[in-house]
Amino acid sequence: MPKANSTELRRKARALALQALYEADIASHQVDDCFGWLKGEAGLPEASFEYALELVEGVMGRRDEVDAAIAKFATAWPVNQLPVVDRNILRLAMFELIFSKGVPHKVAINEAVELAKTFGGESSPRFVNGVLGSVMDEMEITSPQVAEVDTD
């Protein structure tokens, strides 16, 4: 069996993170509980699991800021009324775009759209891409530094 490359492992880590965020959001479970059973099911190497956990902890630790950024760019929908999958895909991507160093912006957007294609509804990929494209447009206008996106 061929060895998975780092891009593939990160993609799987993001999918695992999305599943944990989804469960925590919809069932109000603690993230640790979500990861307990997901880790066994995923069969990922420890480094990938750690990346998934880092993403989820980052999103949960900055959820108010991330949700404020989503609200700013997805103005037609209150965050709590977004489909649960779309909301959590956007949370992951926003966290990577705004707070995560070392993830190229285009990669974060691409990966979010791929998650939307896999887990979301028919219009999810277009919606996610549109919201994140607006974020990128503002980031390019205001500053090339990720941390300066206004989350007010």
Side-chain angles (χ1 to χ4, degrees):
M1 183 167 163
K3 185 177 178 181
N5 66 34
S6 63
T7 301
E8 185 180 329
L9 291 174
R10 281 206 164 202
R11 178 168 286 158
K12 289 179 180 181
R14 285 182 181 95
L16 180 67
L18 173 62
Q19 291 170 333
L21 287 170
Y22 178 89
E23 182 180 339
D25 196 359
I26 201 161
S28 300
H29 292 163
Q30 295 297 316
V31 172
D32 292 342
D33 295 336
C34 301
F35 268 111
W37 75 269
L38 284 170
K39 183 178 182 181
E41 295 286 320
L44 289 176
E46 190 62 30
S48 294
F49 175 74
E50 287 173 10
Y51 185 64
L53 186 58
E54 177 185 321
L55 288 172
V56 172
E57 288 176 345
V59 168
M60 298 304 284
R62 293 184 172 259
R63 191 163 134 187
D64 290 343
E65 294 166 276
V66 168
D67 283 357
I70 293 169
K72 179 178 179 177
F73 293 100
T75 57
W77 292 90
V79 174
N80 65 346
Q81 291 181 11
L82 288 170
V84 179
V85 171
D86 294 356
R87 176 173 55 234
N88 286 292
I89 290 170
L90 287 172
R91 283 176 174 160
L92 273 174
M94 288 289 198
F95 174 76
E96 285 193 304
L97 286 172
I98 299 170
F99 301 108
S100 186
K101 307 289 186 220
V103 177
H105 297 154
K106 289 182 181 182
V107 170
I109 293 171
N110 236 18
E111 291 297 319
V113 171
E114 289 302 315
L115 286 171
K117 287 177 184 177
T118 302
F119 295 102
E122 186 177 317
S123 62
S124 294
R126 187 177 32 231
F127 173 69
V128 166
N129 191 51
V131 171
L132 298 176
S134 295
V135 173
M136 283 301 301
D137 289 346
E138 181 166 306
M139 291 174 93
E140 290 173 1
I141 291 168
T142 58
S143 171
Q145 293 181 2
V146 176
E148 291 189 20
V149 170
D150 180 22
T151 56
D152 291 331

